[in-house]
Amino acid sequence: MSYALIETSDISAAPVELYEITYGSTSWRYTSGDVPVVYNLHTYEPLALYRSALRPAVTKEKADLTLNLPVTAPVGQVFLAAPPSEIVLLTVYRQHRTDVDLQTMVVWMGRILNAKYDEYEIEFLCESIMSSMQRSVLTRTYQKGCPHVLYGAGCNLNAEDFKIVTTVNSVSGVTVNVPAALANGYLNGGFIEYSDAITNNTERRFVVSNTAGAITLGATADGLVAGMSVKLYPGCAHTMSACKNKFNNLLNYGGQPWIPSQNPFGNAPIY
């Protein structure tokens, strides 16, 4: 009997769902069933979880999903302090115990955006892969500051050319101290990169400011401890001065610094 016939049957259906959560090189695999399930050479372990209903993806909101797991699930550590640096993918598979061929279908695919915690559960807020296809495409605007993402397309700088590798002296909350000789504010708007001591995943944290080797981050850096190696990448103020003097990249500056302050087509000062 085909998957479709079993799925719609009143007596033959015995659904089991498989949940694969992937973050970097680490994956967690759970099943809604009461016994482990092997699929694609991977074992999905039983876990007391549940999700919101799957509905036709007519709108973005209906395509999205919430997934609830016990607060003790190891995957919950990823969102505990701050949203992770990389995308966390979620794929939901479905099969039936009564299917002799054990046909398995993908019923939902997307990413986990954030998490809510209470005493007993984690609720993952998940966005369907269809949502990314419904977003408006970004367009450039007429502005004085450079709109390019530092080290991205348009900017064309290679981040590795400006990387500073150093060792952490100490970590306290959102403050990281390193021995590197840094000018005040050199890292403002940049980021640090390190390998999480717990998960081994590559993590990045936004740098709010630095005073010499004292670096203030935008969020706590879980898995970063004294003695670890980190990579520091300077930020950009998106001004002509920073582009020229800090990065020698004026040819790729994307702003229009000589915009007139008075509207040439009227009396309004802003246009």
Side-chain angles (χ1 to χ4, degrees), residues 161-183:
D161 294 340
F162 300 90
K163 174 181 67 179
I164 300 171
V165 180
T166 186
T167 303
V168 174
N169 282 341
S170 63
V171 180
S172 178
V174 295
T175 302
V176 177
N177 286 281
V178 299
L182 302 170

Side-chain angles (χ1 to χ4, degrees), residues 4-82:
L5 290 176
I6 297 176
E7 179 74 9
T8 56
S9 171
D10 291 333
I11 58 175
S12 299
V16 173
E17 290 190 339
L18 312 177
Y19 296 81
E20 183 177 53
I21 301 172
T22 302
Y23 176 49
S25 60
T26 304
S27 293
W28 297 268
R29 297 178 177 91
Y30 304 116
T31 176
S32 61
D34 56 355
V35 295
V37 175
V38 177
Y39 173 64
N40 273 352
L41 303 180
H42 297 297
T43 300
Y44 292 75
E45 298 293 340
L47 188 69
L49 48 73
Y50 62 95
R51 59 164 174 80
S52 59
L54 297 176
R55 293 172 287 181
V58 178
T59 65
K60 170 186 176 298
E61 290 75 16
K62 290 185 178 181
D64 292 347
L65 183 79
T66 59
L67 174 64
N68 293 70
L69 301 85
V71 74
T72 54
V75 66
Q77 298 298 313
V78 175
F79 287 87
L80 193 58

Side-chain angles (χ1 to χ4, degrees), residues 28-216:
W28 297 268
R29 297 178 177 91
Y30 304 116
T31 176
S32 61
D34 56 355
V35 295
V37 175
V38 177
Y39 173 64
N40 273 352
L41 303 180
H42 297 297
T43 300
Y44 292 75
E45 298 293 340
L47 188 69
L49 48 73
Y50 62 95
R51 59 164 174 80
S52 59
L54 297 176
R55 293 172 287 181
V58 178
T59 65
K60 170 186 176 298
E61 290 75 16
K62 290 185 178 181
D64 292 347
L65 183 79
T66 59
L67 174 64
N68 293 70
L69 301 85
V71 74
T72 54
V75 66
Q77 298 298 313
V78 175
F79 287 87
L80 193 58
S85 304
E86 299 179 25
I87 293 175
V88 182
L89 300 174
L90 169 64
T91 305
V92 182
Y93 303 93
R94 188 176 173 93
Q95 59 181 221
H96 289 267
R97 295 192 187 97
T98 51
D99 183 2
V100 294
D101 297 322
L102 272 184
Q103 300 174 80
T104 304
M105 300 293 177
V106 176
V107 295
W108 195 90
M109 182 180 292
R111 62 175 182 162
I112 301 175
L113 298 178
N114 215 328
K116 296 179 181 179
Y117 293 79
D118 63 22
E119 187 177 356
Y120 304 106
E121 286 188 341
I122 313 164
E123 181 180 77
F124 284 137
L125 310 177
C126 312
E127 178 185 60
S128 167
I129 194 173
M130 297 298 295
S131 298
S132 61
M133 300 179 183
Q134 298 171 356
R135 293 193 182 101
S136 299
V137 178
L138 295 177
T139 57
R140 288 186 60 180
T141 59
Y142 189 44
Q143 63 184 64
K144 290 189 176 183
C146 181
H148 298 320
V149 176
L150 181 61
Y151 311 123
C155 173
N156 298 333
L157 286 176
N158 184 355
E160 296 303 300
D161 294 340
F162 300 90
K163 174 181 67 179
I164 300 171
V165 180
T166 186
T167 303
V168 174
N169 282 341
S170 63
V171 180
S172 178
V174 295
T175 302
V176 177
N177 286 281
V178 299
L182 302 170
N184 291 348
Y186 182 71
L187 298 178
N188 291 9
F191 62 95
I192 71 168
E193 182 178 282
Y194 66 96
S195 179
D196 191 311
I198 301 172
T199 65
N200 291 323
N201 287 319
T202 299
E203 292 286 350
R204 298 180 184 88
R205 291 293 185 269
F206 176 78
V207 175
V208 176
S209 64
N210 79 282
T211 303
I215 305 169
T216 301

